[in-house]
Amino acid sequence: MDTTFDVRVWQIERGAGRLRESYGVRWSVAGKRHRKSFQTFALADGFRAELVTATHAGEPFNVSTGLPERHEPRASSVEWHDFAVQFADGQWPRVSANHRRNTARTLMIVTTALMDRDPPGVPSRRVRTALSDWAFNTNRRGGAPEDIVSLLGWVRRHTPTMDAWTDPLVVQDVLLVLGTLLDGRRAAASSVKRHRRVLHLVMKYAIVRGILLSDPVPEGRNLTPQPAGAIDRRRLLNV
């Protein structure tokens, strides 16, 4: 098997990224070096602690991925769109109608932010409606018309797998879209907090299911990152 107990974990490195400071965790498995970056020291420290705990517990590490075999995530094999639908379905029977709407709206905004491009010839409003009213609506999804099914299929093919969340810049871009209005102004703090609360639940769901190792969404009072340059206005919502 492609596993080993030859693991070494270094201290956290602090560096300056393109948009903000980052914190890196470096470790080696059978001499092969690995590195993972995080936006906050707490996230980096949590990930490093998992690695150290696994070495102390005598768990084998996968030489290729550099991760403890038992905790190896499935992020690269899980599509974001599929996972978001699964999360919405899991929440549906346990929450109020208002919570369902908030969940659908947050998932819709995040999904449009993660798309690599817009579907040709389709207005952005139609994409948002397809996501919030059909993809993330458990009761209605099964009855979606053919054109909506086709559009959602396109969206699925043009959104990334869950390992996109391991990229701090992707996380920052998503948070920026969640907290910015179409005219460039900041969204209301209450809206940002609501979106962040849903996003943290999404990440917790991913961790419990072994898809992600830790929550990549930072905590803190500064809820909306400052834009470092031009924002793609197609990704913003005037709410």
Side-chain angles (χ1 to χ4, degrees):
M1 295 182 66
D2 188 26
T3 60
T4 183
F5 298 98
D6 178 15
V7 180
R8 181 182 178 187
V9 183
W10 284 277
Q11 295 298 318
I12 295 172
E13 295 180 332
R14 182 176 179 178
R18 183 171 64 88
L19 299 178
R20 60 171 58 194
E21 287 185 338
S22 63
Y23 300 87
V25 177
R26 291 192 306 117
W27 73 104
S28 68
V29 177
K32 181 179 180 181
R33 298 200 174 199
H34 301 268
R35 190 181 191 281
K36 187 176 178 65
S37 297
F38 299 86
Q39 283 188 314
T40 68
F41 179 85
L43 289 174
D45 190 49
F47 178 74
R48 182 182 183 277
E50 292 181 27
L51 297 179
V52 172
T53 298
T55 62
H56 290 170
E59 296 181 20
F61 278 61
N62 185 295
V63 176
S64 298
T65 66
L67 298 173
E69 191 174 49
R70 185 167 62 87
H71 299 289
E72 193 172 326
R74 299 181 291 113
S76 61
S77 63
V78 179
E79 301 288 341
W80 158 257
H81 177 272
D82 296 345
F83 175 79
V85 168
Q86 182 184 13
F87 174 79
D89 288 349
Q91 293 278 300
W92 192 270
R94 303 186 293 105
V95 298
S96 66
N98 187 55
H99 189 99
R100 293 170 182 170
R101 285 191 295 270
N102 290 336
T103 297
R105 183 166 183 78
T106 300
L107 294 176
M108 175 269 291
I109 297 173
V110 172
T111 301
T112 57
L114 290 173
M115 284 164 39
D116 59 11
R117 59 189 177 94
D118 291 327
V122 180
S124 58
R125 182 181 295 274
R126 183 167 177 78
V127 177
R128 297 195 295 266
T129 299
L131 288 167
S132 60
D133 292 1
W134 297 97
F136 304 130
N137 186 311
T138 303
N139 284 350
R140 298 189 67 194
R141 187 185 312 118
E146 289 186 8
D147 61 327
I148 294 295
V149 173
S150 176
L151 176 56
L152 293 177
W154 188 98
V155 170
R156 181 184 184 276
R157 293 189 299 273
H158 290 270
T159 48
T161 55
M162 289 293 290
D163 59 351
W165 292 104
T166 64
D167 185 343
L169 295 183
V170 170
V171 176
Q172 173 155 324
D173 287 346
V174 170
L175 295 180
L176 184 60
V177 172
L178 284 173
T180 309
L181 300 180
L182 187 61
D183 59 9
R185 293 180 298 122
R186 286 192 176 191
S190 58
S191 296
V192 178
K193 288 180 180 179
R194 184 168 59 248
H195 291 317
R196 292 281 288 259
R197 186 161 53 243
V198 172
L199 198 52
H200 279 301
L201 289 175
V202 171
M203 297 307 157
K204 181 178 179 180
Y205 190 83
I207 293 169
V208 169
R209 279 149 185 79
I211 298 172
L212 295 177
L213 284 175
S214 58
D215 185 349
V217 181
E219 299 280 0
R221 298 182 63 183
N222 185 19
L223 297 178
T224 307
Q226 290 289 337
I231 303 172
D232 186 347
R233 296 171 68 89
R234 296 170 301 174
R235 296 288 183 261
L236 305 180
L237 300 180
N238 191 10
V239 296

